[in-house]
Amino acid sequence: MVTGLGDSPRRVLSPKKIDVLELDGTIIEAAEAVFEGHSMDFMVQRDVQACNKKNPMDGIMGCGF
């Protein structure tokens, strides 16, 4: 569970069969939803490619901005 993931980490994790779930919200909300079997639909990010876009403020790519 992450708030964002770029193409490079996705390429590394995919062959290892590691599923990535990009969510908005807190880790507590996400963990409770997973372990208690609740829907996470309200947490799913709308723009899953956000980490691959340049930040207009500093021109770098990634989710570290």
Side-chain angles (χ1 to χ4, degrees):
M1 290 182 268
V2 298
T3 57
L5 189 71
D7 284 337
S8 293
R10 193 178 304 278
R11 280 193 299 272
V12 170
L13 296 172
S14 181
K16 298 176 188 288
K17 305 290 187 222
I18 298 174
D19 294 327
V20 177
L21 186 57
E22 293 182 76
L23 302 171
D24 285 328
T26 67
I27 190 66
I28 293 171
E29 291 173 314
E32 285 177 351
V34 168
F35 292 112
E36 295 177 6
H38 301 298
S39 171
M40 288 187 285
D41 290 346
F42 72 98
M43 298 178 73
V44 176
Q45 287 186 357
R46 293 162 301 287
D47 186 359
V48 296
Q49 294 298 318
C51 289
N52 299 318
K53 295 180 181 174
K54 285 191 177 184
N55 179 343
M57 298 301 286
D58 60 17
I60 63 170
M61 293 180 73
C63 288
F65 49 86

